[in-house]
Amino acid sequence: MSDSNLLTVQQHILREQLRFSGASGEFSFLLSGITLATKIIQAQVRRAGLVDVLGEHGGVNVQGEIQQKLDVIANEAIVQALTSRASVGVLASEENEEPMIVHKGDSEAKYAVVFDPLDGSSNIDVNVSVGTTFSILRRPEGAAGDNPEAWVLQPGTEQVAAGYVVYGSSTILVYSVGHGVHGFTLDPAIGAYVLSHPNMTMPDRGKYYSVNEANADSFPDKYNKYLAGLRNGQYGTKYSSRYIGSMVADFHRTLLKGGVFLYPPTADNAEGKLRLLYEANPVAFLAEQAGGVALDGKNRMLEVKPTSIHQRVPLVVGSKAEMDDFVALED
Ligand code: AHG
Ligand code: MN
Ligand code: MN
């Protein structure tokens, strides 16, 4: 890419914002809070091993999971960056039991941001890709400032924007405001996210499936039938497997190369492991925008009506062809 066509994410967001009626700049300022925070997070991730950010923090989050130091650092980076955006009224994070009300639910504050500050934390200490996911929702008509649940318990179809950052061999931000999916690579020399993957679309079919097969004994039958079909060539190609254990990284590969990523119900997690609001929904939004499909195992993920902030859900997401094959199987 030559410097003459270098387009930063800030310029891109300003352009996308023109699609919103009455755009005032506040939405792009909100998104710039996310890009700023993820630059801070990536700087910490890149220095892991040199500074004291590896290992356990000593706390346990609302999911009963041990918090890693970087989980806490990443959470604070996002909370700090977004509380300084006047348009943000509610913040809900994987790391906080309750959603936070910011700016006292002021009428200027129109958006809720729901996020997983650091996804794939079991991979931090071993230098494997981790990520951040986010989903932005508009304050529903009439939702009281002191009732943050009403702001965030909306189906994924209501997302005004969603995305993720993957801290991999490079740092890549992928986002959508509902008009296609665009990817930006952080250029460390200039500290800016630069458009590297415009108008991303998933291939119609891929060659990888991605699932934690150690849980296969307790998957519902349909999942095992499907996986067997992927392995034995029933769907036209003999699939190979890839599983990182960071949803963001596993999804990023699926977005670029096609194929399917699954986190089915298991004996330990009867509702699946992944969280609807800040893991499954952003990924489902991006998948659909890129021509793919995302289901909760049965229904369209984006239409699932959330009942609680940290609710879990099974996730099957992938290219159109793989998803058609999955749907064609009987329960
Ligand atoms: P988090 O680190 O935010 O808690 O998320 C971990 C999630 C997700 O990234 C990944 O897809 C999944 O856990 C992996 O789970 P298993 O180790 O059960 O395969
Ligand atoms: Mn996660
Ligand atoms: Mn997390």
Side-chain angles (χ1 to χ4, degrees), residues 65 71 94-95 115-121 131-133 245-248 273-275 278-279:
E65 296 157 346
D71 283 324
E94 179 188 27
E95 300 302 329
F115 56 96
D116 177 358
L118 204 74
D119 175 67
S121 17
T132 295
T133 56
S246 291
M247 180 199 69
V248 170
K273 180 181 181 192
L274 299 174
R275 278 53 64 110
Y278 42 83
E279 292 179 322

Side-chain angles (χ1 to χ4, degrees), residues 61 63 65-66 68 71 94-95 116-124 129-131 133 211-215 243-250 261-263 266 269 273-275 278-279 312 315:
N61 71 12
Q63 336 281 341
E65 296 157 346
I66 295 164
Q68 305 290 314
D71 283 324
E94 179 188 27
E95 300 302 329
D116 177 358
L118 204 74
D119 175 67
S121 17
S122 71
N123 280 321
I124 298 168
S129 300
V130 290
T133 56
V211 68
N212 186 343
E213 277 182 310
N215 297 322
Y243 189 70
I244 297 168
S246 291
M247 180 199 69
V248 170
D250 280 314
F261 169 81
L262 311 95
Y263 207 110
T266 66
N269 289 297
K273 180 181 181 192
L274 299 174
R275 278 53 64 110
Y278 42 83
E279 292 179 322
R312 296 176 193 264
L315 171 64

